[in-house]
Amino acid sequence: IGHCRFWLEAIGPELRQYIVTDNNEERPFSRDQRRWVYASAKKENNYFGFGTDEKIELEPNFIIIKHATFAPDTNGQESDGPRRDFHPLNAKKMGDNYPFPCAKVLGSYRGRTKAFRPASGINISGMSFGSLSAAAVEALNRGAALAGCLHNTGEGGISPFHDHGAGLIFQLGTGYYGARDENGRFSMEMLKERVDRYNVRAIEIKLSQGAKPGRGGVLPAAKVTPEISKIRGIPVGKDCLSPASHREFSNADELLDFVERIAQETGLPVGIKSAVGDLSFWEELAELMKDGERGVDYIAIDGGEGGTGAAPLVFSDHVSLPFKIGFSRVYSIMARHDLHEKIVFIGSGKLGFPQSALFAFAMGCDMVAVAREAMLSIGCIQAQNCQTGHCPAGVATQNKWLMRGLDPTHKASRLANYVITLRKEIMWLVRACGVAHPGMITMEN
């Protein structure tokens, strides 16, 4: 009986996932949410019949979108009447990919020489090679190229598996992997070499993530293969520890100096990613940026409910503000200093669904980055074994036997299908509200 208890404990997540829980109970992602992602990725029917099973009259903070009475037709054929030409991008012009570009030009305010307008408002968030398998990273990059969106490298550096067509956001974490010298310090020469070699469109300085802000990261020794060792510049077979804070700066003033130095050397837009806790940093950052002499080109806010990385339970559950609260507080600080139109805002943290993404745009986001939803689209089953190296889907493991079934080319199509479907349904909602672009949605909608 005792042995049976341990066996049942081991398969408890699977039992609850498929037998015990209802469609909306499970966390982090419910069965309904996973079904929608899987069906969208496979281009299957992702409709649900017989009405909602959500308790919309009882759930606090449930998202309700107020549609326009005379909205343009969401299938691309405008209805008769005076609003016939209201939407400038009908289905024929948009094509099958339903692109909607970022409403702002990334890097234009600071005059970066390589400023650009991101072609997609939906992009792939930071997930490192090492935490994810080679096949998974390649699938994400190929899929992002097919969908025309950006792919964030995560803090593990740029690998050959990131080099399959998608534009990259090169993330610099506290370990500076891929851009560090033999002593583990940041190396501008290494950074410039990577920027010249790969299709890097922007650089992101990671201050923290939703999974474990203030804690730093660990790549277990079992995942540190010779290949990862070479890319990151770390010893083989030893735990890879990312510090909780940066060595190149220790306050907002020094951070801005670091940002401007990188931007001057590379010409690229430079942004920061952070979960939100103490607001004094954001107040100081805004105060330092308001004179226009220095500044970040974008701010990516990760909610406390986000994070692909495994973390101590107390950090996952209790450290950093949820996205809705954290983002609204940072945005209001920037708005008070008249900076909100000069910065590109990116949201992440369970925003990979049409209604959640639209809510983020209404709050002030210019783009949304998705991570775990992207993992689901290429085969993740929410086994929650990411930290063990035994991911049964071959997504979060370096075990070649486990990843053998993850065909990057095949899964790339799944990722692209998911991103395109997400953009399509966001545009459906946007048109239902009677506007032309997600950037025009407000909290009144």
Side-chain angles (χ1 to χ4, degrees):
I1 292 172
H3 285 297
C4 285
R5 176 185 176 277
F6 286 109
W7 181 74
L8 289 170
E9 181 74 19
I11 63 170
E14 287 80 4
L15 288 173
R16 290 190 295 274
Q17 189 175 79
Y18 295 105
I19 299 173
V20 179
T21 56
D22 68 20
N23 289 343
N24 299 304
E25 259 185 352
E26 201 172 0
R27 297 291 182 270
F29 296 97
S30 69
R31 183 178 298 149
D32 275 352
Q33 290 174 318
R34 297 197 311 275
R35 282 173 57 198
W36 182 85
V37 172
Y38 294 148
S40 299
K42 296 174 184 177
K43 298 186 76 172
E44 295 176 351
N45 187 341
N46 64 1
Y47 282 33
F48 289 69
F50 214 64
T52 180
D53 57 5
E54 296 278 3
K55 300 175 182 178
I56 60 176
E57 72 281 8
L58 300 176
E59 292 289 338
N61 300 315
F62 190 82
I63 295 175
I64 297 293
I65 297 163
K66 294 184 286 186
H67 65 284
T69 303
F70 299 106
D73 179 62
T74 58
N75 291 317
Q77 301 298 320
E78 304 293 343
S79 59
D80 293 331
R83 297 173 64 88
R84 183 178 184 84
D85 298 322
F86 176 79
H87 198 295
L89 299 175
N90 61 33
K92 291 181 180 178
K93 291 179 182 178
M94 287 194 293
D96 293 332
N97 287 346
Y98 296 88
F100 58 84
C102 179
K104 297 173 184 172
V105 177
L106 183 56
S108 63
Y109 172 67
R110 297 291 307 136
R112 311 305 187 197
T113 57
K114 297 179 182 178
F116 71 105
R117 186 187 300 277
S120 173
I122 304 297
N123 299 287
I124 309 303
S125 193
M127 293 175 281
S128 303
F129 172 53
S131 60
L132 299 191
S133 67
V137 172
E138 182 177 338
L140 292 173
N141 193 262
R142 288 181 181 273
L146 290 172
C149 62
L150 296 170
H151 181 195
N152 191 309
T153 65
E155 65 176 313
I158 305 178
S159 71
F161 310 106
H162 288 98
D163 195 20
H164 292 280
L168 298 176
I169 297 177
F170 185 8
Q171 188 182 88
L172 288 175
T174 55
Y176 307 114
Y177 303 120
R180 59 190 252 157
D181 60 23
E182 60 277 6
N183 298 316
R185 297 299 297 263
F186 171 72
S187 168
M188 185 66 75
E189 290 69 28
M190 288 289 292
L191 175 65
K192 291 168 67 175
E193 188 274 332
R194 292 293 191 275
V195 167
D196 292 339
R197 181 176 174 185
Y198 295 100
N199 185 23
V200 178
R201 305 300 307 277
I203 294 171
E204 178 174 282
I205 300 170
K206 175 186 168 186
L207 304 180
S208 59
Q209 61 170 301
K212 45 184 178 293
R215 173 65 182 156
V218 180
L219 184 67
K223 286 189 173 184
V224 183
T225 65
E227 189 173 31
I228 292 169
S229 169
K230 181 178 179 181
I231 291 168
R232 293 199 178 197
I234 57 176
V236 179
K238 293 185 178 180
D239 287 344
C240 174
L241 305 177
S242 296
S245 58
H246 284 261
R247 298 172 67 184
E248 297 299 314
F249 54 87
S250 58
N251 55 50
D253 189 45
E254 293 173 356
L255 166 63
L256 289 178
D257 285 341
F258 188 57
V259 165
E260 292 297 334
R261 186 156 60 97
I262 291 175
Q264 184 175 3
E265 291 285 342
T266 65
L268 293 170
V270 182
I272 58 174
K273 175 183 179 177
S274 181
V276 180
D278 177 25
L279 294 178
S280 61
F281 162 75
W282 300 101
E283 294 280 3
E284 183 182 1
L285 183 68
E287 189 68 31
L288 291 168
M289 287 177 55
K290 70 178 183 181
D291 62 5
E293 295 297 320
R294 298 176 298 167
V296 297
D297 296 295
Y298 74 86
I299 294 175
I301 296 298
D302 198 6
E305 67 272 52
T308 56
L313 184 63
V314 67
F315 276 78
S316 292
D317 289 352
H318 298 287
V319 181
S320 85
L321 295 172
F323 173 79
K324 294 176 185 178
I325 300 173
F327 180 84
S328 63
R329 292 184 180 178
V330 171
Y331 188 87
S332 65
I333 289 171
M334 296 299 158
R336 285 204 312 271
H337 290 80
D338 197 28
L339 294 168
H340 57 298
E341 296 297 339
K342 302 168 184 175
I343 300 168
V344 171
F345 289 94
I346 303 175
S348 65
K350 295 184 72 174
L351 301 179
F353 302 93
Q355 74 285 354
S356 303
L358 195 71
F359 188 86
F361 283 112
M363 291 180 68
C365 285
D366 301 292
M367 296 192 290
V368 165
V370 297
R372 287 172 294 179
E373 299 91 331
M375 291 170 65
L376 289 169
S377 75
I378 63 171
C380 169
I381 63 169
Q382 195 171 279
Q384 297 180 282
N385 284 332
C386 310
Q387 74 279 12
T388 67
H390 300 301
C391 170
V395 176
T397 182
Q398 299 304 313
N399 185 309
K400 295 187 181 299
W401 186 82
L402 289 171
M403 72 173 80
R404 75 195 189 285
L406 202 165
D407 177 3
T409 304
H410 175 62
K411 296 297 186 180
S413 299
R414 297 280 180 88
L415 183 279
N417 290 338
Y418 159 70
V419 171
I420 291 167
T421 302
L422 176 58
R423 290 195 305 228
K424 176 180 70 175
E425 297 200 11
I426 290 171
M427 289 305 299
W428 283 356
L429 292 173
V430 166
R431 289 166 63 87
C433 292
V435 298
H437 188 278
M440 300 171 69
I441 292 290
T442 70
M443 295 297 286
E444 292 301 314
N445 295 110

